[in-house]
Amino acid sequence: MEAPKLLLLFLLIRCDLFIGKSLGDGVTPQEAKELRDEVREMFYHAFNGYMDHAFPRDELRPLSCGGEDTLGGYALTLIDSLDTLALLGDKERFTASVEWIGKNLRFDINKTVSIFETTIRVLGGLISAHLIASDHNTGMRIPSYDDELLHLAEDLARRMLPAFDTPTGIPFGSVNLLHGVDEHESKITSTAGGGTLTLEFGILSRLTNDPIFEQVAKNAVRGLWARRSKINLVGAHIDVFSGDWTQKDAGIGTSIDSFYEYLLKAYLLFGDEEYLFIFQEAYKAAMKYLFNDPWYVEVNMNSAALVWPLFNSLQAFWPGLQVLAGDIEPAIRTHAAFFSVWRRYGFTPEGFNLATLSVQQGQKSYPLRPELIESTYWLYKATRDPRYLDAGRDMLASLQYGARCTCGYCHISDVEFHKQEDHMESFFLAETVKYLWLLFDLAAGPDNLVENGPYKYIFSTEGHLLPATPQISLVREHCSYFGAYCRNSNLRLKTHSHESAETNSSGSQTRPADSSFLSRSSYQSSSPVSGLKGLCPGLTHGQRFGISFMTPVDPSSEDEQSSQRETTEIQSHSVVLISNPNPEVSLSGSHNDHENDPAHAPQEESPSSKQRR
């Protein structure tokens, strides 16, 4: 396709006739309360269906009212639902669920599991529930609770550590919980699979005073970023031994999405400026080479040549991430474009072809994904624009009339004909319902742990609640990214009289942040943990720490730059805004031979995992 025709195509896609349709009548405060209650009933219809017909198997078969083991055979949906129960204020079921898991769940099983899925669903679910159940300030503390979920989380994470023993530090995609990495395990993993571990592993290090978990997760991010292209793009799949990219398509969706997400969120939660620097560089590149206003496309990571003009449903998280980054205007336009696809079909298909303006062949399903609802929540929280309540109402209606079935909510195997499929992912209860409920509760007058609780929360990519408690967020690294190590003089623990100890409702004090964690950790050095080959010997110093393509910077200006970054941090409606980069946006007129070749069109992969890899 010639460049002028391509430009005309994108202008056509942008036209207001397609993305600017008027929304429904405004949602009143009373209707917001009714919609919130409807979402609560939606949750319990699905949760009770799982508990009655599938528990303790992993997931529900909502049409046949049965169960199936899809990840490890350890009550996956219950673990994934724990903090949603707490968010809804259901202390009775939250307590019963935590107690059952503490008594019955074990990970010394001969199961090979996904590192990515196990981390975000199981490890994240256990950590989030532990932080809620052990803290008076949440209003959901369980008196008999004795850190059982934390012990399980630590045991699970240690069983995953063998996957990180690679020359690049990027982990294998799977590990056997009993025997470690199989000798025939594939060496190919996705960028998201290796770069979406920092929140869960980082929090676990702070809770257990063992730095190894955070160290291996950070080494994985460094291993990926060190192999970026000269234009700061990363590919979709990489060989964890050689470090060679096996799929060089760069995008913000499938196989890459949460890599971007965790760079920003790791900075927001931990205050580690290394993550912020990488995010800023990666975000600028994404907006320059991937953004074709208001859509995003996939390009070759080296040349920026267009690979395929396709909207895939996992891209829909991006406007929400832009809200957290403070870049709201493009987020509004992109959300409008993405939502227009939902309105057209009643759901978002896994793939929507921007060249033909139709569902991509082989990608017609909607597996109850939360990403568009998530972005709708964040945009409403940032702007209070009622159009996002209207959008939420439309999406709720689609789920109720198109996906609701006998014992829960069904996958939609074809969005054009609304054909139901007998499967319900655990993330439907962990994310999809959670973000819908938060949206309408915010409009009705919030009364929940996130909006009215004692902490600010970061949501994991699975929607788990991760609080910025002193123990988690006040252990600041203050690393010089260009120096790639921490000096003792720069390592400090910020404490204030009201933060040095947490006071519960009864007036007693809980344990403050443990300063011994600083001395026990390896935060004063970026060298890999002994026995883990996190830094490939074949790389230069610059490549090891992700600065091989950076212009040399005068060290004397680093403190000034860091100070300038910190002064841009403001708040608006509880949304953290760190920057407004307003990057240059360009439309590449070049493309490769794959563009019009149906053989190279993205094909639908199994929807059994949230992050298709």
Side-chain angles (χ1 to χ4, degrees):
M1 183 181 296
E2 298 177 359
K5 292 182 179 179
L6 183 62
L7 178 59
L8 180 61
L9 169 64
F10 280 101
L11 290 175
L12 175 63
I13 296 173
R14 286 189 58 193
C15 72
D16 292 339
L17 181 63
F18 185 59
I19 68 171
K21 293 181 179 179
S22 61
L23 297 170
D25 296 332
V27 174
T28 65
Q30 179 58 37
E31 186 180 3
K33 293 180 181 179
E34 295 171 357
L35 291 169
R36 178 189 61 189
D37 293 341
E38 184 177 349
V39 176
R40 176 187 288 269
E41 188 279 332
M42 168 189 283
F43 172 83
Y44 282 109
H45 173 65
F47 181 78
N48 291 338
Y50 167 76
M51 295 301 294
D52 293 342
H53 302 287
F55 175 78
R57 304 192 76 175
D58 280 341
E59 292 178 321
L60 172 68
R61 297 179 66 88
L63 274 176
S64 59
C65 297
E68 57 183 332
D69 287 330
T70 53
L71 187 59
Y74 33 55
L76 172 63
T77 296
L78 181 63
I79 297 172
D80 229 359
S81 303
L82 288 174
D83 60 358
T84 307
L85 287 168
L87 184 65
L88 295 176
D90 192 340
K91 190 169 185 177
E92 180 180 354
R93 296 199 190 193
F94 176 71
T95 300
S97 299
V98 168
E99 290 178 346
W100 184 92
I101 291 171
K103 293 177 182 178
N104 296 280
L105 194 63
R106 296 295 180 269
F107 294 116
D108 54 342
I109 54 177
N110 187 17
K111 294 279 188 178
T112 298
V113 299
S114 161
I115 294 293
F116 173 83
E117 297 293 350
T118 303
T119 297
I120 67 170
R121 300 201 200 195
V122 183
L123 187 62
L126 292 173
I127 290 173
S128 177
H130 160 74
L131 291 166
I132 294 170
S134 61
D135 192 339
H136 282 283
N137 295 313
T138 63
M140 300 294 290
R141 184 179 182 275
I142 301 173
S144 61
Y145 180 70
D146 191 25
D147 293 346
E148 291 90 349
L149 301 192
L150 178 60
H151 298 322
L152 285 168
E154 182 178 4
D155 176 57
L156 176 61
R158 291 195 186 281
R159 294 177 183 277
M160 291 192 284
L161 286 180
F164 292 85
D165 191 6
T166 67
T168 62
I170 305 168
F172 287 97
S174 300
V175 67
N176 186 283
L177 295 179
L178 197 60
H179 303 297
V181 178
D182 186 88
E183 62 178 335
H184 301 297
E185 176 64 32
S186 172
K187 296 178 182 178
I188 308 302
T189 194
S190 70
T191 299
T196 312
L197 312 170
T198 50
L199 296 185
E200 293 84 358
F201 275 63
I203 291 176
L204 187 60
S205 277
R206 285 156 166 76
L207 296 178
T208 62
N209 287 355
D210 189 338
I212 190 170
F213 306 112
E214 185 162 13
Q215 190 72 62
V216 296
K218 177 178 280 190
N219 282 347
V221 172
R222 286 171 171 167
L224 290 164
W225 185 242
R227 292 164 176 83
R228 71 196 186 279
S229 70
K230 292 185 178 181
I231 56 175
N232 286 341
L233 294 177
V234 293
H237 290 89
I238 193 169
D239 186 309
V240 301
F241 266 60
S242 69
D244 295 332
W245 293 99
T246 59
Q247 184 181 358
K248 298 182 180 181
D249 299 349
I252 62 165
T254 303
S255 300
I256 304 177
D257 53 352
S258 48
F259 169 75
Y260 290 100
E261 178 185 0
Y262 269 37
L263 289 174
L264 178 58
K265 290 183 176 180
Y267 166 70
L268 294 177
L269 188 59
F270 302 137
D272 184 342
E273 293 181 0
E274 180 174 354
Y275 291 119
L276 174 61
F277 179 84
I278 298 175
F279 173 77
Q280 289 175 327
E281 296 300 303
Y283 182 77
K284 289 176 185 177
M287 295 302 288
K288 181 175 183 179
Y289 298 109
L290 308 179
F291 185 43
N292 290 275
D293 196 352
W295 305 93
Y296 290 81
V297 296
E298 294 182 2
V299 304
N300 180 277
M301 63 178 288
N302 294 311
S303 66
L306 180 66
V307 174
W308 198 253
L310 190 76
F311 159 62
N312 72 70
S313 60
L314 287 171
Q315 294 177 353
F317 87 102
W318 190 259
L321 186 67
Q322 289 181 306
V323 169
L324 289 177
D327 203 8
I328 295 181
E329 290 187 5
I332 291 172
R333 297 194 300 274
T334 294
H335 179 277
F338 291 173
F339 182 58
S340 71
V341 178
W342 182 292
R343 286 174 60 86
R344 181 170 180 173
Y345 298 105
F347 303 101
T348 47
E350 290 290 77
F352 179 77
N353 192 306
L354 301 178
T356 62
L357 298 184
S358 62
V359 177
Q360 176 66 29
Q361 186 65 31
Q363 298 191 25
K364 296 185 176 183
S365 66
Y366 169 69
L368 304 177
R369 292 202 186 276
E371 284 78 12
L372 185 59
I373 298 172
E374 174 186 359
S375 288
T376 303
Y377 162 69
W378 282 113
L379 277 165
Y380 179 70
K381 188 170 184 177
T383 67
R384 295 303 197 270
D385 190 324
R387 82 174 82 175
Y388 299 112
L389 296 178
D390 294 338
R393 179 177 57 186
D394 285 356
M395 289 186 280
L396 173 58
S398 294
L399 290 167
Q400 290 287 57
Y401 293 108
R404 189 177 178 112
C405 49
T406 308
C407 295
Y409 288 81
C410 294
H411 279 203
I412 303 300
S413 61
D414 189 328
V415 298
E416 293 180 303
F417 298 99
H418 286 198
K419 183 179 179 181
Q420 293 183 339
E421 183 180 340
D422 194 15
H423 185 65
M424 187 182 81
E425 291 275 4
S426 67
F427 61 68
F428 178 71
L429 296 178
E431 299 182 83
T432 308
V433 175
K434 180 181 291 170
Y435 286 119
L436 262 181
W437 189 86
L438 282 168
L439 172 67
F440 295 123
D441 188 60
L442 189 60
D447 182 20
N448 64 72
L449 189 63
V450 171
E451 303 296 341
N452 305 104
Y455 311 115
K456 295 178 181 177
Y457 284 85
I458 294 295
F459 291 84
S460 76
T461 196
E462 187 73 5
H464 290 308
L465 307 180
L466 306 177
T469 66
Q471 185 179 12
I472 292 172
S473 65
L474 292 183
V475 181
R476 302 280 185 160
E477 293 194 22
H478 292 281
C479 287
S480 165
Y481 181 78
F482 296 96
Y485 67 92
C486 294
R487 301 177 179 86
N488 286 328
S489 60
N490 287 337
L491 188 62
R492 56 188 182 271
L493 179 65
K494 294 184 179 179
T495 57
H496 304 281
S497 59
H498 66 283
E499 294 174 331
S500 59
E502 301 167 31
T503 304
N504 61 35
S505 57
S506 64
S508 62
Q509 289 186 334
T510 58
R511 183 183 179 190
D514 187 356
S515 60
S516 67
F517 180 43
L518 299 175
S519 60
R520 292 184 57 184
S521 74
S522 60
Y523 293 144
Q524 297 175 8
S525 170
S526 63
S527 60
V529 176
S530 176
L532 291 168
K533 294 166 281 187
L535 300 179
C536 181
L539 297 178
T540 66
H541 175 81
Q543 288 172 325
R544 288 175 182 176
F545 297 106
I547 58 175
S548 56
F549 303 121
M550 291 298 302
T551 302
V553 175
D554 181 1
S556 64
S557 66
E558 291 177 19
D559 292 339
E560 180 180 351
Q561 292 174 351
S562 176
S563 175
Q564 290 175 350
R565 284 197 299 271
E566 291 179 357
T567 59
T568 62
E569 185 171 329
I570 62 174
Q571 290 184 352
S572 173
H573 294 302
S574 301
V575 179
V576 179
L577 308 180
I578 62 168
S579 64
N580 193 348
N582 191 25
E584 176 187 356
V585 178
S586 66
L587 177 64
S588 173
S590 60
H591 57 91
N592 61 20
D593 294 336
H594 293 176
E595 180 184 344
N596 296 311
D597 184 358
H600 289 86
Q603 297 300 311
E604 183 168 33
E605 302 175 49
S606 170
S608 62
S609 64
K610 175 179 182 289
Q611 177 64 55
R612 294 177 298 152
R613 298 193 293 280

